[in-house]
Amino acid sequence: MDHTGATRPTSHLGAPLVELESVNKHFGDLHVLRDIDLTVRQGEVLVVIGPSGSGKSTLCRAINRLETVDDGTIRIDGQPLPAEGRELAKLRADVGMVFQSFNLFAHKTVLDNVTLGPRKVRRLSKADAEAEALELLDRVGVKNQAAKLPAQLSGGQQQRVAIARSLAMHPKVMLFDEPTSALDPEMINEVLDVMVGLAHDGMTMIVVTHEMGFARKAADRVVFMADGMIVEQATPEEFFTNPRSDRAKDFLSKIL
Ligand code: ADP
Ligand code: MG
C-alpha cells in the first residue's frame, strides 16, 4: 500500500455528513468551543490542528456525544445528536473514534476486542463477526496477532487494532484524536499509513494531528483552532505554505 505523493481530487466529496452550527461549550468559566460552524462532507478528510487547550478534543468528543454542548446544533447525516438511549448507541456506531491512548479491553484478545461491538450492537453471529474482524485485522496488518492480548502488542499494533475495532461498527465517519502522539517515533508511520489508506478508500475522517506529512498526503482541508475558535481553514498546501493569521503563523513556526 503506497499512497505517497498521491493527490486527492475534490470531486470525491459528497453530501454534508457532519454539521455543526453555532456550537458553544463551557467548562465552568472557560469558553472551550466558541460559535463553531463546521461542515464535513461525505468522503472528506479534515485535519484539525492547533495549540494544546484550543478545544480540539472537546470538538471530537462533542461530535461523538461524549460531551454535551451548551447550545448550537450538531447533526450526523442529517440527524441531530440524540440525548440518550438506543438512538445514542446507534449514533456511537455511526461515529467511530480512535483516541491517543488505545483504549482496548486489556483482558480480551485482539479478536474479541474487534468482535464485541458488532456482536452486541450489530447483532452479528460469532462466526460472522470473527470472519469480518479477521478481514479488518488483515487490512490494518495485524491479523497474525488476533489471539493475543493487547499488552503483548506494540503501541503501533494496538492502535491499528483500535482502528479495526472502530471500522467493525461500519461507521459513517471516523474521528481520530491525536492517534499517534503516544507512539514511539518508529511506529507512527505504520498507523498513519493505515489512515492514509482509509482516506483513499473514501472514509469520511476528522483527524486531530500535528503530523504534517499525513495532512499533506490525505487531507482535503485543514482547520486551525485557537482559543475554542476556528481561526482559519484552507487546503493543506495553502495552509502550510501561506498561513494568513498570526496565530497560525506563530503555531507553525513552533512545530515545523
Ligand atoms: P485540546 O484537545 O485542543 O488540547 P481540549 O479540548 O482538551 O483541548 O481542552 C480545551 C480546554 O478545556 C482546555 O483548557 C482544557 O483544560 C479544558 N477542559 C477539557 N476538558 C475539561 C473538563 N472535562 N473539565 C474542565 N475543563 C476541561
Ligand atoms: Mg486534545
Side-chain angles (χ1 to χ4, degrees):
M1 192 165 55
D2 179 22
H3 302 284
T4 320
T7 53
R8 289 168 64 75
T10 50
S11 57
H12 66 289
L13 299 185
L17 188 56
V18 179
E19 297 168 277
L20 287 83
E21 264 174 41
S22 310
V23 168
N24 282 282
K25 168 77 181 173
H26 292 77
F27 286 118
D29 289 339
L30 196 64
H31 200 170
V32 199
L33 297 178
R34 299 175 186 242
D35 277 323
I36 300 286
D37 289 313
L38 182 67
T39 299
V40 183
R41 291 164 62 188
Q42 202 140 29
E44 185 170 8
V45 178
L46 182 78
V47 161
V48 181
I49 75 171
S52 178
S54 55
K56 307 179 300 295
S57 293
T58 306
L59 178 75
C60 288
R61 295 171 58 82
I63 292 170
N64 200 22
R65 194 50 179 74
L66 293 168
E67 294 283 1
T68 56
V69 297
D70 301 337
D71 54 68
T73 53
I74 302 178
R75 285 188 297 269
I76 307 291
D77 210 3
Q79 301 297 315
L81 289 196
E84 57 195 9
R86 190 172 296 179
E87 287 304 305
L88 184 55
K90 165 102 176 50
L91 167 95
R92 292 261 166 74
D94 283 345
V95 183
M97 182 139 176
V98 173
F99 302 87
Q100 178 175 339
S101 50
F102 322 123
N103 291 36
L104 296 173
F105 301 113
H107 303 291
K108 305 233 178 257
T109 64
V110 163
L111 187 64
D112 286 346
N113 264 278
V114 181
T115 56
L116 222 62
R119 292 186 63 190
K120 231 184 188 159
V121 179
R122 294 179 52 218
R123 310 227 170 251
L124 292 192
S125 70
K126 188 166 192 271
D128 287 348
E130 288 186 351
E132 192 181 321
L134 287 169
E135 273 176 37
L136 288 167
L137 289 170
D138 195 25
R139 182 167 166 196
V140 301
V142 290
K143 188 181 176 186
N144 54 0
Q145 312 293 323
K148 293 189 182 166
L149 291 171
Q152 295 173 285
L153 272 58
S154 73
Q157 289 172 324
Q158 288 186 56
Q159 194 60 307
R160 286 182 282 148
V161 173
I163 293 172
R165 183 176 62 173
S166 274
L167 291 175
M169 299 303 284
H170 294 190
K172 292 177 177 167
V173 52
M174 287 277 288
L175 310 178
F176 294 85
D177 189 2
E178 304 208 30
T180 60
S181 53
L183 295 176
D184 292 332
E186 74 272 18
M187 292 170 189
I188 290 176
N189 278 333
E190 66 193 46
V191 172
L192 291 178
D193 283 349
V194 167
M195 292 165 59
V196 172
L198 279 181
H200 281 264
D201 289 345
M203 177 60 77
T204 309
M205 296 163 65
I206 299 176
V207 184
V208 179
T209 185
H210 295 161
E211 293 291 338
M212 301 304 133
F214 172 80
R216 283 182 186 276
K217 254 184 245 174
D220 296 293
R221 181 159 51 119
V222 173
V223 159
F224 175 72
M225 282 184 77
D227 297 331
M229 287 178 285
I230 294 179
V231 173
E232 159 163 11
Q233 44 185 318
T235 62
E237 169 72 18
E238 198 178 319
F239 180 75
F240 294 122
T241 54
N242 193 19
R244 287 169 306 218
S245 63
D246 289 341
R247 291 297 302 261
K249 284 177 194 164
D250 180 56
F251 177 73
L252 287 174
S253 73
K254 285 175 183 146
I255 63 161
L256 291 181

PDB file of all heavy atoms in Angstrom, residues 3 7 27 32-33 43 47-49 54 57 71 80 84 113 128 143 156 163 172 177 181 186 217:
ATOM      1  N   HIS A   3       0.722   5.124  -0.833  1.00  0.00           N
ATOM      2  CA  HIS A   3      -0.093   6.254  -1.253  1.00  0.00           C
ATOM      3  C   HIS A   3       0.748   7.527  -1.301  1.00  0.00           C
ATOM      4  O   HIS A   3       0.232   8.615  -1.374  1.00  0.00           O
ATOM      5  CB  HIS A   3      -1.257   6.452  -0.292  1.00  0.00           C
ATOM      6  CG  HIS A   3      -2.129   5.254  -0.183  1.00  0.00           C
ATOM      7  ND1 HIS A   3      -3.031   4.913  -1.155  1.00  0.00           N
ATOM      8  CD2 HIS A   3      -2.207   4.296   0.755  1.00  0.00           C
ATOM      9  CE1 HIS A   3      -3.653   3.803  -0.799  1.00  0.00           C
ATOM     10  NE2 HIS A   3      -3.174   3.406   0.343  1.00  0.00           N
ATOM     11  N   THR A   7      -2.370  12.695  -4.981  1.00  0.00           N
ATOM     12  CA  THR A   7      -3.169  13.884  -4.730  1.00  0.00           C
ATOM     13  C   THR A   7      -4.638  13.490  -4.722  1.00  0.00           C
ATOM     14  O   THR A   7      -5.023  12.487  -5.290  1.00  0.00           O
ATOM     15  CB  THR A   7      -2.959  14.953  -5.815  1.00  0.00           C
ATOM     16  OG1 THR A   7      -3.184  14.343  -7.074  1.00  0.00           O
ATOM     17  CG2 THR A   7      -1.562  15.513  -5.755  1.00  0.00           C
ATOM     18  N   PHE A  27     -16.671  24.960  30.074  1.00  0.00           N
ATOM     19  CA  PHE A  27     -16.379  24.198  31.292  1.00  0.00           C
ATOM     20  C   PHE A  27     -16.271  25.249  32.389  1.00  0.00           C
ATOM     21  O   PHE A  27     -15.264  25.952  32.464  1.00  0.00           O
ATOM     22  CB  PHE A  27     -15.059  23.431  31.182  1.00  0.00           C
ATOM     23  CG  PHE A  27     -15.132  22.215  30.296  1.00  0.00           C
ATOM     24  CD1 PHE A  27     -14.364  22.129  29.154  1.00  0.00           C
ATOM     25  CD2 PHE A  27     -15.955  21.137  30.614  1.00  0.00           C
ATOM     26  CE1 PHE A  27     -14.412  21.002  28.332  1.00  0.00           C
ATOM     27  CE2 PHE A  27     -16.013  20.011  29.808  1.00  0.00           C
ATOM     28  CZ  PHE A  27     -15.238  19.941  28.666  1.00  0.00           C
ATOM     29  N   VAL A  32     -14.876  26.905  25.902  1.00  0.00           N
ATOM     30  CA  VAL A  32     -13.986  25.973  25.191  1.00  0.00           C
ATOM     31  C   VAL A  32     -14.293  25.856  23.700  1.00  0.00           C
ATOM     32  O   VAL A  32     -13.394  25.654  22.885  1.00  0.00           O
ATOM     33  CB  VAL A  32     -14.058  24.560  25.809  1.00  0.00           C
ATOM     34  CG1 VAL A  32     -12.855  23.756  25.396  1.00  0.00           C
ATOM     35  CG2 VAL A  32     -14.135  24.635  27.304  1.00  0.00           C
ATOM     36  N   LEU A  33     -15.575  25.932  23.339  1.00  0.00           N
ATOM     37  CA  LEU A  33     -15.947  25.969  21.915  1.00  0.00           C
ATOM     38  C   LEU A  33     -16.783  27.222  21.697  1.00  0.00           C
ATOM     39  O   LEU A  33     -17.797  27.433  22.383  1.00  0.00           O
ATOM     40  CB  LEU A  33     -16.737  24.713  21.506  1.00  0.00           C
ATOM     41  CG  LEU A  33     -16.019  23.369  21.622  1.00  0.00           C
ATOM     42  CD1 LEU A  33     -16.962  22.220  21.230  1.00  0.00           C
ATOM     43  CD2 LEU A  33     -14.755  23.320  20.768  1.00  0.00           C
ATOM     44  N   GLY A  43     -16.826  11.562   2.502  1.00  0.00           N
ATOM     45  CA  GLY A  43     -15.576  11.299   1.808  1.00  0.00           C
ATOM     46  C   GLY A  43     -14.500  12.325   2.077  1.00  0.00           C
ATOM     47  O   GLY A  43     -13.363  12.184   1.609  1.00  0.00           O
ATOM     48  N   VAL A  47      -8.375  17.700   8.623  1.00  0.00           N
ATOM     49  CA  VAL A  47      -7.358  17.686   9.677  1.00  0.00           C
ATOM     50  C   VAL A  47      -7.557  18.915  10.555  1.00  0.00           C
ATOM     51  O   VAL A  47      -7.720  20.030  10.051  1.00  0.00           O
ATOM     52  CB  VAL A  47      -5.932  17.652   9.081  1.00  0.00           C
ATOM     53  CG1 VAL A  47      -4.894  18.108  10.112  1.00  0.00           C
ATOM     54  CG2 VAL A  47      -5.601  16.236   8.608  1.00  0.00           C
ATOM     55  N   VAL A  48      -7.594  18.691  11.867  1.00  0.00           N
ATOM     56  CA  VAL A  48      -7.754  19.776  12.831  1.00  0.00           C
ATOM     57  C   VAL A  48      -6.437  19.942  13.574  1.00  0.00           C
ATOM     58  O   VAL A  48      -5.929  18.978  14.153  1.00  0.00           O
ATOM     59  CB  VAL A  48      -8.888  19.471  13.834  1.00  0.00           C
ATOM     60  CG1 VAL A  48      -9.052  20.622  14.828  1.00  0.00           C
ATOM     61  CG2 VAL A  48     -10.202  19.201  13.105  1.00  0.00           C
ATOM     62  N   ILE A  49      -5.895  21.132  13.511  1.00  0.00           N
ATOM     63  CA  ILE A  49      -4.666  21.373  14.265  1.00  0.00           C
ATOM     64  C   ILE A  49      -4.833  22.639  15.112  1.00  0.00           C
ATOM     65  O   ILE A  49      -5.769  23.420  14.917  1.00  0.00           O
ATOM     66  CB  ILE A  49      -3.414  21.479  13.357  1.00  0.00           C
ATOM     67  CG1 ILE A  49      -3.364  22.810  12.633  1.00  0.00           C
ATOM     68  CG2 ILE A  49      -3.353  20.364  12.349  1.00  0.00           C
ATOM     69  CD1 ILE A  49      -2.034  23.012  11.928  1.00  0.00           C
ATOM     70  N   SER A  54      -6.800  24.246  22.836  1.00  0.00           N
ATOM     71  CA  SER A  54      -7.628  25.063  21.947  1.00  0.00           C
ATOM     72  C   SER A  54      -9.026  24.483  21.726  1.00  0.00           C
ATOM     73  O   SER A  54      -9.862  25.132  21.097  1.00  0.00           O
ATOM     74  CB  SER A  54      -6.913  25.288  20.607  1.00  0.00           C
ATOM     75  OG  SER A  54      -6.559  24.067  20.012  1.00  0.00           O
ATOM     76  N   SER A  57      -9.948  18.312  21.245  1.00  0.00           N
ATOM     77  CA  SER A  57     -10.526  17.081  21.800  1.00  0.00           C
ATOM     78  C   SER A  57     -11.981  17.279  22.171  1.00  0.00           C
ATOM     79  O   SER A  57     -12.818  16.394  21.934  1.00  0.00           O
ATOM     80  CB  SER A  57      -9.741  16.628  23.048  1.00  0.00           C
ATOM     81  OG  SER A  57      -8.444  16.229  22.685  1.00  0.00           O
ATOM     82  N   ASP A  71     -25.107  25.133  23.567  1.00  0.00           N
ATOM     83  CA  ASP A  71     -26.098  25.499  22.552  1.00  0.00           C
ATOM     84  C   ASP A  71     -25.516  25.283  21.168  1.00  0.00           C
ATOM     85  O   ASP A  71     -24.343  24.955  21.009  1.00  0.00           O
ATOM     86  CB  ASP A  71     -26.592  26.944  22.734  1.00  0.00           C
ATOM     87  CG  ASP A  71     -25.454  27.929  22.787  1.00  0.00           C
ATOM     88  OD1 ASP A  71     -24.787  28.122  21.750  1.00  0.00           O
ATOM     89  OD2 ASP A  71     -25.215  28.507  23.870  1.00  0.00           O
ATOM     90  N   PRO A  80     -30.056  15.244  14.153  1.00  0.00           N
ATOM     91  CA  PRO A  80     -29.483  15.886  15.341  1.00  0.00           C
ATOM     92  C   PRO A  80     -28.995  14.823  16.334  1.00  0.00           C
ATOM     93  O   PRO A  80     -29.580  13.736  16.405  1.00  0.00           O
ATOM     94  CB  PRO A  80     -30.665  16.659  15.940  1.00  0.00           C
ATOM     95  CG  PRO A  80     -31.708  16.697  14.889  1.00  0.00           C
ATOM     96  CD  PRO A  80     -31.476  15.542  13.976  1.00  0.00           C
ATOM     97  N   GLU A  84     -29.872  10.319  24.471  1.00  0.00           N
ATOM     98  CA  GLU A  84     -29.584   9.099  25.228  1.00  0.00           C
ATOM     99  C   GLU A  84     -30.221   7.881  24.584  1.00  0.00           C
ATOM    100  O   GLU A  84     -30.838   7.968  23.525  1.00  0.00           O
ATOM    101  CB  GLU A  84     -30.095   9.243  26.667  1.00  0.00           C
ATOM    102  CG  GLU A  84     -31.576   9.551  26.715  1.00  0.00           C
ATOM    103  CD  GLU A  84     -32.016  10.048  28.088  1.00  0.00           C
ATOM    104  OE1 GLU A  84     -31.144  10.307  28.945  1.00  0.00           O
ATOM    105  OE2 GLU A  84     -33.233  10.169  28.289  1.00  0.00           O
ATOM    106  N   ASN A 113     -11.691  -8.051  21.067  1.00  0.00           N
ATOM    107  CA  ASN A 113     -11.830  -6.594  21.067  1.00  0.00           C
ATOM    108  C   ASN A 113     -12.578  -6.119  19.823  1.00  0.00           C
ATOM    109  O   ASN A 113     -13.371  -5.192  19.894  1.00  0.00           O
ATOM    110  CB  ASN A 113     -10.453  -5.925  21.122  1.00  0.00           C
ATOM    111  CG  ASN A 113     -10.038  -5.536  22.529  1.00  0.00           C
ATOM    112  OD1 ASN A 113     -10.439  -4.490  23.039  1.00  0.00           O
ATOM    113  ND2 ASN A 113      -9.265  -6.407  23.171  1.00  0.00           N
ATOM    114  N   ASP A 128     -19.751 -14.853  12.019  1.00  0.00           N
ATOM    115  CA  ASP A 128     -19.732 -13.737  11.074  1.00  0.00           C
ATOM    116  C   ASP A 128     -18.865 -12.590  11.585  1.00  0.00           C
ATOM    117  O   ASP A 128     -18.112 -11.978  10.820  1.00  0.00           O
ATOM    118  CB  ASP A 128     -21.159 -13.206  10.828  1.00  0.00           C
ATOM    119  CG  ASP A 128     -21.974 -14.161   9.963  1.00  0.00           C
ATOM    120  OD1 ASP A 128     -21.365 -15.085   9.389  1.00  0.00           O
ATOM    121  OD2 ASP A 128     -23.199 -13.980   9.866  1.00  0.00           O
ATOM    122  N   LYS A 143      -3.346  -9.249  11.448  1.00  0.00           N
ATOM    123  CA  LYS A 143      -4.169 -10.462  11.508  1.00  0.00           C
ATOM    124  C   LYS A 143      -3.496 -11.564  12.336  1.00  0.00           C
ATOM    125  O   LYS A 143      -4.163 -12.291  13.078  1.00  0.00           O
ATOM    126  CB  LYS A 143      -4.424 -10.958  10.090  1.00  0.00           C
ATOM    127  CG  LYS A 143      -5.414 -12.090   9.997  1.00  0.00           C
ATOM    128  CD  LYS A 143      -5.588 -12.523   8.548  1.00  0.00           C
ATOM    129  CE  LYS A 143      -6.511 -13.717   8.435  1.00  0.00           C
ATOM    130  NZ  LYS A 143      -6.538 -14.207   7.029  1.00  0.00           N
ATOM    131  N   GLY A 156       2.034   0.624  18.243  1.00  0.00           N
ATOM    132  CA  GLY A 156       1.543   0.827  16.877  1.00  0.00           C
ATOM    133  C   GLY A 156       0.552  -0.255  16.471  1.00  0.00           C
ATOM    134  O   GLY A 156      -0.459   0.017  15.816  1.00  0.00           O
ATOM    135  N   ILE A 163      -8.193   0.887  15.450  1.00  0.00           N
ATOM    136  CA  ILE A 163      -8.803   1.341  14.190  1.00  0.00           C
ATOM    137  C   ILE A 163      -9.706   0.238  13.616  1.00  0.00           C
ATOM    138  O   ILE A 163     -10.845   0.496  13.220  1.00  0.00           O
ATOM    139  CB  ILE A 163      -7.717   1.756  13.175  1.00  0.00           C
ATOM    140  CG1 ILE A 163      -6.980   3.012  13.679  1.00  0.00           C
ATOM    141  CG2 ILE A 163      -8.335   2.017  11.796  1.00  0.00           C
ATOM    142  CD1 ILE A 163      -5.752   3.393  12.857  1.00  0.00           C
ATOM    143  N   LYS A 172     -20.006   5.820   9.772  1.00  0.00           N
ATOM    144  CA  LYS A 172     -20.125   6.736   8.642  1.00  0.00           C
ATOM    145  C   LYS A 172     -18.979   7.733   8.632  1.00  0.00           C
ATOM    146  O   LYS A 172     -18.633   8.284   7.583  1.00  0.00           O
ATOM    147  CB  LYS A 172     -21.459   7.493   8.725  1.00  0.00           C
ATOM    148  CG  LYS A 172     -22.664   6.613   8.500  1.00  0.00           C
ATOM    149  CD  LYS A 172     -23.952   7.392   8.675  1.00  0.00           C
ATOM    150  CE  LYS A 172     -25.160   6.507   8.375  1.00  0.00           C
ATOM    151  NZ  LYS A 172     -26.408   7.142   8.825  1.00  0.00           N
ATOM    152  N   ASP A 177      -8.331  11.337  17.459  1.00  0.00           N
ATOM    153  CA  ASP A 177      -7.827  12.413  18.314  1.00  0.00           C
ATOM    154  C   ASP A 177      -6.364  12.139  18.668  1.00  0.00           C
ATOM    155  O   ASP A 177      -6.078  11.359  19.557  1.00  0.00           O
ATOM    156  CB  ASP A 177      -8.682  12.544  19.584  1.00  0.00           C
ATOM    157  CG  ASP A 177      -8.329  13.795  20.376  1.00  0.00           C
ATOM    158  OD1 ASP A 177      -7.465  14.575  19.938  1.00  0.00           O
ATOM    159  OD2 ASP A 177      -8.924  13.980  21.460  1.00  0.00           O
ATOM    160  N   SER A 181       0.207  10.362  18.874  1.00  0.00           N
ATOM    161  CA  SER A 181       1.074  11.155  19.761  1.00  0.00           C
ATOM    162  C   SER A 181       1.575  10.376  20.975  1.00  0.00           C
ATOM    163  O   SER A 181       2.489  10.832  21.651  1.00  0.00           O
ATOM    164  CB  SER A 181       0.401  12.461  20.173  1.00  0.00           C
ATOM    165  OG  SER A 181      -0.858  12.198  20.706  1.00  0.00           O
ATOM    166  N   GLU A 186       9.149   5.316  15.726  1.00  0.00           N
ATOM    167  CA  GLU A 186       9.243   4.323  14.649  1.00  0.00           C
ATOM    168  C   GLU A 186       7.904   3.651  14.359  1.00  0.00           C
ATOM    169  O   GLU A 186       7.780   2.918  13.377  1.00  0.00           O
ATOM    170  CB  GLU A 186      10.344   3.296  14.951  1.00  0.00           C
ATOM    171  CG  GLU A 186      10.012   2.281  16.021  1.00  0.00           C
ATOM    172  CD  GLU A 186      10.353   2.746  17.428  1.00  0.00           C
ATOM    173  OE1 GLU A 186      10.525   3.961  17.639  1.00  0.00           O
ATOM    174  OE2 GLU A 186      10.424   1.879  18.318  1.00  0.00           O
ATOM    175  N   LYS A 217      -0.627  14.536   2.603  1.00  0.00           N
ATOM    176  CA  LYS A 217      -0.950  13.367   1.780  1.00  0.00           C
ATOM    177  C   LYS A 217      -2.443  13.116   1.684  1.00  0.00           C
ATOM    178  O   LYS A 217      -2.944  12.706   0.639  1.00  0.00           O
ATOM    179  CB  LYS A 217      -0.320  12.113   2.417  1.00  0.00           C
ATOM    180  CG  LYS A 217       0.890  11.586   1.685  1.00  0.00           C
ATOM    181  CD  LYS A 217       1.359  10.300   2.346  1.00  0.00           C
ATOM    182  CE  LYS A 217       2.733  10.502   2.948  1.00  0.00           C
ATOM    183  NZ  LYS A 217       3.174   9.334   3.718  1.00  0.00           N
TER     184      LYS A 217
END
